[in-house]
């Protein structure tokens, strides 16, 4: 028998509902929500894995997995169709004893210990499929090894007010973690956890088993596993990350994340040929812009047809903007049609919607600044807004 | 599907030699993100054909690179799939292309081992979106030896065609001419025919053994004139663009900007597949002006563009004015450049301030990788 093994594999938590995205995650898991014209949120974590040299990714799904399963397929778009390794979708399953849903993030990994063991890895990278960022996990792994760490948590420095909403690490001068607090009222540091961890598998494995046996545990990494390791004085370090990192878990932040891509100095730089973001591609033709159309300060994906006006907007694959229709500050998800004379301002429109003729969605801002709006209007996937109807700012349909 | 597809990737390359220095005809970029071969290949896939052989003789690295593992066309199959068929080294590789029968002889093994009763022969220089299944049905029902797809010629003043037919009401071809002009009401071939595999393989063996290599002239026309081959015409009524020289390339590339041409070509129920390169969506700058354009992904448009077709990753810098141009992958048009009636091949760099103007009837061509 050939004992093949991997040095490092990734486990990607993609089972979250993302309830603060309301209608956009009613029948789709948050990682499958479209982002940035042609991507889905999970593409960023998956592409980071591949670009960091990690070729084995277990994707843990639970909430509304259909679209995500379909999207991942055999992993080919991310070069994750491998003979040994590759992308594996891991839903909860029934067993002879103790079958259960994934009760928490730790339980999701616990239930897939057999999957991880199959690759016999020294390290496991734990990720969430919820964030937009580019990060070299390999560098973080090197840091983990250099420090002799057993658990390394990536941190980004945030402002005091943001820190009260996040998991905050206190560290010593050597970046060793001395304290961890979830959503502290009075944060002791500005190092916020990014939800990116490197564990030494042998150590994590023990903690997962112990945690599962503890009936009082919520089986959550942030609430149980990390505090338990800290209490036992395990070698834990914070890995400082600098760069763009955005949680697009709310409607406002999802809209803002899209608008950030229009910044000429786009801090994320999705254009970097050395760190491509991969996505599943559909056979759409090139975008056609007809005479009389206006397109300015916008990102437009493939397969769109534009006859109207599109300004400060992100148009996803296969959208149509008809004559006299006007889209300003719009995030228009795939295959949506904006019919003649419709007016869309500062809105997120879901996939495969139809905005009928002369309908109005959202409101124009009062002042000069195109990005200072009165609130985002949101239309869920596969909805039709009737001819002449009005959807106000901040309304969610 | 009881038909095998064969694509000729080389034919008519000579008049497009400016584009075929380091690629063959089938790999010439077209329509933004596509290569010419994508059209016939996607038609075959969308018609349920899953055995496709591509005949290639020269400069086919670019084509191989484009097809890669065939997975974008769903032709990475265990049974069948896509096979590139270059010549055998022993078969006088250095000789010029002697004819399609010569090329087909290299694929004789492939054809003899195919399990389908019919073969579809298609040239890569014709751009159209067609379901071959009704054509096969018509072929079987007609009982003819060969069925040839053709478009009706409406305008008699048009340039010549490689093949021109007249046909009776039943579709039976009554006259077959090669390389001549057509009158209104005649039919022009579109480089696409269905023939039984048995008849094709025996013709390949018989004719090439006698040193005869021209498929249309020496086999089909010759046998037809002797009354020994019955030909059936299958009229195609959709959009059909022939790309045989620079003029046709230029005009037909720009033609797809019109919805009447581009719409039927890129229809949702029969998509045209192509290689995926993971480019980002195209960025349109705050001061750009775009009218009547077809633009692929990964471009950045900051200047003024009118009536243009851009492939992937084209950059139009601020102050540039680009009109009636075709710009291929990765080329950069610098600040304040003015271009009109220009075809820019891949990875060219038009430096700031340059001014290039061709005529609509005679566009300026910038070679691959050139700096102007």
């Amino acid at each position: 028998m050939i004992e093949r093994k991997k040095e490092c594999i990734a486990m990607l938590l993609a089972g979250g509902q993302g309830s603060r995205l309301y209608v956009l995650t009613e029948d789709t898991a948050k990682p499958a929500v479209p982002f940035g014209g042609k991507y889905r949120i999970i593409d960023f974590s998956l592409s980071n894995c591949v670009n960091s040299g990690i070729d084995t990714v277990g994707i843990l799904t639970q909430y509304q997995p259909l679209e995500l399963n379909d999207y991942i397929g055999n992993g080919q778009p991310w070069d994750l169709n491998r003979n040994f390794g590759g992308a594996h979708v891991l839903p909860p399953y029934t067993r002879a004893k103790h079958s259960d849903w994934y009760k928490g993030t730790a339980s999701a990994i616990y239930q897939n210990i057999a999957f991880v063991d199959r690759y016999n890895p020294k390290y496991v990278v734990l990720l969430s499929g919820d964030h937009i960022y580019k990060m070299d996990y390999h560098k973080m792994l090197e840091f983990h090894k250099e420090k002799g760490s057993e658990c390394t948590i990536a941190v980004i420095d945030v402002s005091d007010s943001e820190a009260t909403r996040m998991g905050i690490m206190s560290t010593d001068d050597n970046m060793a973690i001395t304290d961890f607090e979830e959503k502290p009222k009075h944060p002791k540091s500005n190092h916020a956890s990014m939800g990116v961890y490197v564990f030494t598998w042998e150590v994590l494995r023990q903690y997962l088993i112990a945690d599962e046996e503890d009936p009082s545990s919520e089986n959550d990494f942030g609430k149980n596993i990390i505090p338990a390791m800290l209490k036992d004085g395990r070698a834990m370090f914070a890995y400082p990350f600098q760069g763009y990192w955005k949680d697009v878990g709310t409607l406002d932040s999802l809209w803002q994340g899209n608008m950030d891509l229009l910044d000429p100095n786009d801090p994320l730089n999705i254009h970097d040929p050395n760190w491509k973001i991969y996505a599943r591609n559909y056979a759409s033709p090139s975008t056609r812009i007809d005479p009389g159309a206006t397109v300015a300060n916008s990102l437009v994906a493939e397969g769109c047809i534009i006859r109207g006006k599109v300004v400060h907007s992100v148009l996803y694959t296969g959208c149509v903007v008809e004559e006299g229709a006007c889209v300003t500050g719009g995030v228009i998800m795939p295959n949506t049609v904006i019919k003649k004379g419709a007016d869309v301002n500062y809105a997120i429109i879901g996939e495969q919607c139809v905005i009928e003729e002369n309908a109005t969605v959202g409101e124009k801002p009062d002042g000069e600044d195109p990005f200072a709006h009165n609130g985002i209007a949101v239309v869920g996937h596969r909805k039709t807004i009737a001819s002449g109807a009005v959807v106000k700012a901040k309304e969610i349909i | 599907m009881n038909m095998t597809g064969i694509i000729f990737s080389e034919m008519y390359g000579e008049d497009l030699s400016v584009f075929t220095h380091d690629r063959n005809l089938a790999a010439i970029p077209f329509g933004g993100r596509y290569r010419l071969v994508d059209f016939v290949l996607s038609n075959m896939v969308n018609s349920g054909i899953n055995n496709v052989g591509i005949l290639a003789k020269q400069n086919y690295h670019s084509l191989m690179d484009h097809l890669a593992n065939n997975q974008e066309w769903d032709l990475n199959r265990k049974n069948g799939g896509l096979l590139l068929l270059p010549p055998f080294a022993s078969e006088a590789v250095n000789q010029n292309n002697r004819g399609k029968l010569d090329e087909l002889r290299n694929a004789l093994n492939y054809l003899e081992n195919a399990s389908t009763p019919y073969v579809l022969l298609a040239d890569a220089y014709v751009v159209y979106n067609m379901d071959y299944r009704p054509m096969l049905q018509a072929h079987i029902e007609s009982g003819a030896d060969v069925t040839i797809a053709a478009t009706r010629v409406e305008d008699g003043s048009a340039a010549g065609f490689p093949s021109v037919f007249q046909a009776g009401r039943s579709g039976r071809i009554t006259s077959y001419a090669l390389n001549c002009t057509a009158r209104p009401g005649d039919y022009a071939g579109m480089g696409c025919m269905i023939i039984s595999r048995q008849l094709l393989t025996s013709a390949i063996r018989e004719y090439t053994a006698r040193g005869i290599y021209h498929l249309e002239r020496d086999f089909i026309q010759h046998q037809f004139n002797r009354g020994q081959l019955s030909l059936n015409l299958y009229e195609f009524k959709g959009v059909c663009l022939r790309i045989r020289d620079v003029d046709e390339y230029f005009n037909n590339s720009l033609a797809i900007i019109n919805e009447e041409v581009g719409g039927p070509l890129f229809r949702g129920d029969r998509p045209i597949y192509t290689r995926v390169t993971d480019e980002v969506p195209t960025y349109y700058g705050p001061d750009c002006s775009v009218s009547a354009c077809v633009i692929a992904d990964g471009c950045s448009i900051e200047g003024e563009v009118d009536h243009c077709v851009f492939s992937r990753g084209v950059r139009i810098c601020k102050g540039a004015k680009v009109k009636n141009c075709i710009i291929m992958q990765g080329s950069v048009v610098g600040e304040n450049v003015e271009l009109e009636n220009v075809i820019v091949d891949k990875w060219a760099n038009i430096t700031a301030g340059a001014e290039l103007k061709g005529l609509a009837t005679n566009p300026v061509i910038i070679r691959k990788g050139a700096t102007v």
Side-chain angles (χ1 to χ4, degrees):
Chain A
M1 190 179 147
I2 303 163
E3 298 270 342
R4 298 177 76 180
K5 60 188 287 181
K6 298 269 180 194
E7 188 194 23
C8 179
I9 72 165
M11 297 297 271
L12 202 161
L13 298 160
Q17 179 182 353
S19 55
R20 288 172 304 153
L21 288 174
Y22 301 95
V23 284
L24 296 178
T25 49
E26 231 162 45
D27 48 15
T28 312
K30 179 173 159 189
V33 168
F35 182 83
K38 64 174 280 193
Y39 308 100
R40 296 191 182 248
I41 296 172
I42 195 172
D43 288 331
F44 290 83
S45 310
L46 281 178
S47 301
N48 285 341
C49 283
V50 174
N51 290 332
S52 306
I54 296 171
D55 65 3
T56 308
V57 185
I59 299 158
L60 300 128
T61 60
Q62 176 157 288
Y63 175 79
Q64 291 284 3
L66 176 65
E67 193 154 342
L68 196 56
N69 291 351
D70 218 31
Y71 187 70
I72 303 296
N74 67 349
Q76 184 275 333
W78 304 269
D79 215 11
L80 287 171
N81 50 340
R82 303 293 172 104
N83 286 339
F84 180 63
H88 294 260
V89 175
L90 303 169
Y93 54 95
T94 56
R95 276 156 292 181
K97 280 185 215 162
H98 310 303
S99 298
D100 212 338
W101 292 100
Y102 295 154
K103 291 167 283 180
T105 49
S107 132
I109 305 296
Y110 170 83
Q111 292 191 40
N112 289 288
I113 284 178
F115 170 82
V116 180
D117 281 348
R118 207 162 66 171
Y119 298 99
N120 193 13
K122 192 136 189 348
Y123 308 102
V124 170
V125 176
L126 182 69
L127 305 165
S128 64
D130 295 350
H131 299 101
I132 304 299
Y133 65 115
K134 294 197 307 194
M135 180 175 179
D136 190 342
Y137 305 137
H138 182 73
K139 284 188 185 153
M140 181 171 170
L141 181 63
E142 289 300 308
F143 175 94
H144 180 86
K145 290 188 213 166
E146 272 166 32
K147 297 283 183 189
S149 177
E150 289 167 315
C151 167
T152 303
I153 303 175
V155 294
I156 189 163
D157 283 355
V158 297
S159 68
D160 285 350
S161 64
E162 284 174 297
T164 58
R165 286 180 277 123
M166 306 179 79
I168 297 299
M169 311 285 157
S170 302
T171 58
D172 66 12
D173 293 345
N174 193 29
M175 292 311 282
I177 297 170
T178 53
D179 189 25
F180 169 73
E181 287 177 294
E182 190 74 69
K183 295 180 182 142
K185 279 207 180 92
H186 305 288
K188 287 179 225 159
S189 116
N190 296 90
H191 300 321
S193 167
M194 298 165 62
V196 176
Y197 308 83
V198 176
F199 288 99
T200 301
W201 174 237
E202 201 189 327
V203 177
L204 175 62
R205 204 175 182 284
Q206 293 166 19
Y207 278 87
L208 289 172
I209 293 168
D211 180 68
E212 189 71 17
E213 282 167 359
D214 174 4
S216 67
S217 171
E218 290 179 54
N219 306 115
D220 185 85
F221 272 90
K223 288 179 192 146
N224 308 106
I225 301 282
I226 303 299
M229 289 181 78
L230 209 53
K231 196 169 142 238
D232 293 352
R234 289 287 181 175
M236 298 173 78
F237 288 83
Y239 173 74
F241 173 78
Q242 271 145 9
Y244 185 90
W245 177 81
K246 195 163 185 81
D247 181 349
V248 288
T250 65
L251 293 168
D252 280 331
S253 66
L254 180 64
W255 183 85
Q256 190 57 51
N258 276 279
M259 291 301 138
D260 287 348
L261 301 174
L262 299 179
D263 184 340
N265 308 311
D266 170 19
L268 180 63
N269 188 16
I270 50 172
H271 298 265
D272 184 359
N274 298 318
W275 203 272
K276 275 195 178 183
I277 305 302
Y278 302 97
R280 186 170 285 279
N281 280 259
Y282 301 95
S284 332
S286 307
T287 282
R288 201 176 78 218
I289 297 174
D290 282 353
T294 305
V295 186
N297 194 30
S298 292
L299 213 50
V300 180
E302 293 177 316
C304 295
I305 297 175
I306 304 177
R307 301 195 192 98
K309 188 176 176 188
V310 177
V311 192
H312 310 309
S313 294
V314 180
L315 253 61
Y316 294 54
T317 313
C319 290
V320 179
V321 179
E322 293 189 352
E323 297 93 317
C326 187
V327 180
T328 308
V331 172
I332 316 293
M333 291 186 176
N335 302 311
T336 281
V337 181
I338 317 278
K339 296 243 172 144
K340 285 177 191 158
D343 197 15
V344 175
N345 293 291
Y346 302 89
I348 301 174
I349 315 263
E351 289 181 64
Q352 296 172 47
C353 290
V354 180
I355 311 300
E356 291 285 359
E357 292 184 15
N358 304 314
T360 305
V361 179
E363 285 167 20
K364 287 198 168 64
D366 307 322
E368 291 284 303
D369 181 359
F371 296 110
H373 54 84
N374 302 336
I376 300 300
V378 179
V379 177
H381 305 303
R382 292 167 280 277
K383 300 260 170 36
T384 298
I385 302 300
S387 182
V390 175
V391 179
K392 292 201 188 100
K394 295 185 188 160
E395 217 176 318
I396 300 172
I397 302 277
Chain B
M1 185 61 178
N2 48 1
M3 193 149 71
T4 295
I6 295 284
I7 296 174
F8 297 99
S9 67
E10 305 275 0
M11 292 287 129
Y12 303 99
E14 298 80 5
D15 293 331
L16 286 164
S17 57
V18 64
F19 300 128
T20 54
H21 260 264
D22 37 24
R23 59 169 84 92
N24 69 3
L25 176 125
I28 294 177
F30 186 85
R33 59 195 303 244
Y34 303 98
R35 307 286 185 129
L36 286 179
V37 71
D38 292 336
F39 294 86
V40 274
L41 190 53
S42 300
N43 286 341
M44 288 181 180
V45 172
N46 290 333
S47 304
I49 297 174
N50 50 23
N51 290 278
V52 181
I54 300 188
L55 295 168
K57 184 153 182 177
Q58 284 160 347
N59 300 346
Y60 50 85
H61 285 184
S62 171
L63 182 64
M64 286 172 73
D65 182 46
H66 180 67
L67 299 170
N69 64 351
N70 317 326
Q71 87 99 27
E72 309 303 345
W73 297 267
D74 210 14
L75 287 173
N76 50 345
R77 304 281 106 216
K78 270 200 166 174
N79 295 310
L82 190 147
L83 193 62
L84 192 70
L85 299 163
F88 284 114
S90 59
E91 301 281 339
V93 178
N94 293 323
Q95 287 199 33
N96 286 331
N97 203 344
R98 293 183 292 194
K100 285 181 181 170
L101 284 170
D102 193 20
E103 283 196 83
L104 283 166
R105 205 164 87 97
N106 284 309
L108 199 54
N109 264 335
Y110 177 77
L111 286 167
E112 280 177 339
N113 291 329
S115 56
T116 65
Y118 300 99
V119 178
L120 175 77
L121 301 174
D123 284 318
Y125 76 93
V126 194
V127 171
Y128 56 97
N129 189 324
M130 173 175 175
D131 187 346
Y132 294 126
R133 282 170 291 201
M135 180 176 168
L136 176 61
Q137 190 63 32
H139 174 71
I140 294 168
E141 280 166 13
S142 74
D145 296 315
V146 181
T147 293
I148 299 173
T151 55
R152 194 180 150 91
V153 178
E154 305 294 350
D155 178 4
S157 66
F161 295 97
S163 53
V164 173
F165 317 100
Q166 287 164 349
R169 241 183 240 146
S170 64
R172 204 43 66 105
I173 288 175
T174 54
S175 119
Y176 186 134
L178 290 171
N179 299 320
C180 67
T181 54
R183 289 167 302 181
D186 286 352
Y187 292 90
M190 42 197 285
C192 168
M193 65 175 86
I194 292 175
I195 184 169
S196 83
R197 188 167 59 91
Q198 173 67 43
L199 181 59
L200 179 66
T201 49
S202 61
I204 296 167
R205 252 184 266 109
E206 188 187 326
Y207 283 84
T208 55
R210 288 166 27 211
I212 296 171
Y213 299 113
H214 199 298
L215 173 75
E216 287 92 347
R217 183 188 64 208
D218 300 336
F219 166 48
I220 296 180
Q221 189 185 39
H222 183 66
Q223 293 286 16
F224 170 75
N225 288 343
R226 290 173 58 194
Q228 295 190 346
L229 200 70
S230 57
L231 305 180
N232 187 46
L233 184 133
Y234 181 79
E235 187 185 350
F236 177 65
K237 291 188 169 136
V239 169
C240 176
L241 306 173
R242 296 169 177 85
I243 316 289
R244 290 167 297 179
D245 54 31
V246 171
D247 261 9
E248 284 187 333
Y249 178 78
F250 185 63
N251 293 325
N252 286 331
S253 291
L254 292 176
I256 64 158
I257 297 169
N258 300 328
E259 188 167 16
E260 305 85 74
V261 178
L265 215 46
F266 302 107
R267 37 192 288 175
D269 58 341
R270 296 205 299 262
I272 306 299
Y273 309 98
T274 191
R275 185 181 170 195
V276 164
T277 55
D278 296 289
E279 295 282 355
V280 297
T282 286
Y283 172 69
Y284 296 85
D287 306 314
C288 78
S289 148
V290 186
S291 175
C293 288
V294 166
I295 299 178
D297 51 349
C299 296
S300 163
I301 315 288
E302 301 201 72
E304 214 174 285
V305 295
D306 181 18
H307 206 245
C308 292
V309 176
F310 297 157
S311 299
R312 291 158 159 161
V314 168
R315 261 181 63 202
I316 309 293
C317 298
K318 280 185 185 136
K321 287 186 178 150
V322 184
K323 194 177 174 192
N324 270 350
C325 291
I326 293 153
I327 303 186
M328 300 185 201
Q329 189 179 337
S331 286
V332 179
V333 175
E335 288 186 12
N336 304 315
V337 166
E338 286 192 34
L339 298 182
E340 189 171 342
N341 298 315
V342 180
I343 303 174
V344 181
D345 206 328
K346 288 168 75 168
W347 308 111
N349 189 4
I350 315 293
T351 52
E355 197 174 319
L356 290 169
K357 280 188 183 159
L359 298 171
T361 50
N362 200 353
V364 170
I365 298 171
I366 306 300
R367 287 251 168 110
K368 185 171 169 181
T371 299
V372 180

